[in-house]
Amino acid sequence: MLKTVNLTKRYGAFTALDGLNLEIPTGVLHGFVGPNGAGKTTTMRILATLLPATAGTAYIDDVDIALNPRQVRRIVGYMPDFFGVYDGLKVVEYLDFYGSCYGLGYAERQRMAEQLLELVMLSDKRNAYVDTLSRGMKQRLCLARSLIHDPSLIILDEPASGMDPRARAEMKGILRTLKSLDKTVLISSHILPELSELCDSLSIIDRGRLIFSGNMDELGRHMRGDTPLVVCVDGDTDEAVRLLKETQGVTGLELDESGALRVAFEGDEVALLRRLVNGNVRVRDFHRTPVNLEAVFMEVTNHDGGDEG
């Protein structure tokens, strides 16, 4: 779906984006993480064909963004971090205007507007003037605007910025729906726990360079070694400890203050669990420690950033 090849952006002597190589498959929700000034917004603007790259290029559905920008705009929906609305228009008129910009016929514009207003939970505001909407409603309307031409790739730059908890929860529900529709979504956000909950995969960018790209399990292995298995048993842990120490692939084992065993293990987790159960160990819990995205973010971006994301 999306592939960048040595994507670079320079402003004089300053390099905002330094040879970005990123691949995102179809139908995933991919998080884009980095401090202010890391190059996130620069990347998104280039992908949306709003900013030319200094070097390198990107392909969206195998279309070169530099050679075919008009074609790219037909398959990309972009929601910027700062957006304007036309206060003198009603909500449905606002969407109709943008539908006409993409060359949609009247019937198609009306159909898409009704579907999108239902998606973003604004059907009851279809005849309200845009300037009467709350901030959260305007953000949801802007999201609907970016979807009016039914794009296959949706680029969202801080879509929940400034939203209250209820509005953020509504936005999360919309993103889950888009994911279920097999849309590919690239989303940047500073609300890291929500990204880790929503995203199939993510990339971390810092000072214009890609530090990591992959899923959450790969992130844990990349940043701090393999995340430990947590094994909780009913009764004495001695037999579980013996079996674990005898298992190939177990490289570390400790008992924490809660009585849980934390196991450094590389191998088939199902086979390991089966070994414990067959050894008459009463396993109550067996899971990987989730990656703390905020802790990882602080670990790899421990410097002051600029203003541009």
Side-chain angles (χ1 to χ4, degrees), residues 156-170:
L156 308 177
D157 195 356
E158 297 284 347
S161 175
M163 285 186 170
D164 60 36
R166 178 180 293 277
R168 288 205 308 271
E170 292 170 343

Side-chain angles (χ1 to χ4, degrees), residues 24-41:
I24 302 175
T26 300
V28 302
L29 203 159
H30 189 90
F32 204 34
V33 179
N36 291 335
K40 302 186 302 298
T41 295

Side-chain angles (χ1 to χ4, degrees), residues 239-273:
E239 183 61 15
V241 169
R242 183 185 70 79
L243 290 171
L244 289 168
K245 285 183 175 179
E246 294 176 355
T247 301
Q248 185 176 1
V250 173
T251 59
L253 178 63
E254 65 178 34
L255 184 67
D256 67 20
E257 59 273 12
S258 70
L261 293 165
R262 295 188 173 270
V263 187
F265 175 66
E266 295 181 3
D268 187 337
E269 295 176 16
V270 174
L272 178 60
L273 178 58

Side-chain angles (χ1 to χ4, degrees), residues 32-54:
F32 204 34
V33 179
N36 291 335
K40 302 186 302 298
T41 295
T42 295
T43 302
M44 290 179 158
R45 287 175 180 168
I46 292 173
L47 294 176
T49 73
L50 298 176
L51 186 68
T54 305

Side-chain angles (χ1 to χ4, degrees), residues 220-238:
R221 291 193 292 271
H222 179 82
M223 293 301 181
R224 295 193 298 273
D226 211 349
T227 55
L229 274 169
V230 177
V231 181
C232 300
V233 303
D234 288 328
D236 200 337
T237 61
D238 290 349

Side-chain angles (χ1 to χ4, degrees), residues 277-304:
V277 172
N278 290 342
N280 294 319
V281 174
R282 291 178 293 176
V283 179
R284 175 163 40 89
D285 192 13
F286 186 94
H287 69 272
R288 285 275 181 193
T289 303
V291 176
N292 184 326
L293 186 54
E294 286 187 327
V296 171
F297 180 86
M298 295 303 294
E299 177 183 335
V300 301
T301 61
N302 57 347
H303 60 83
D304 293 330

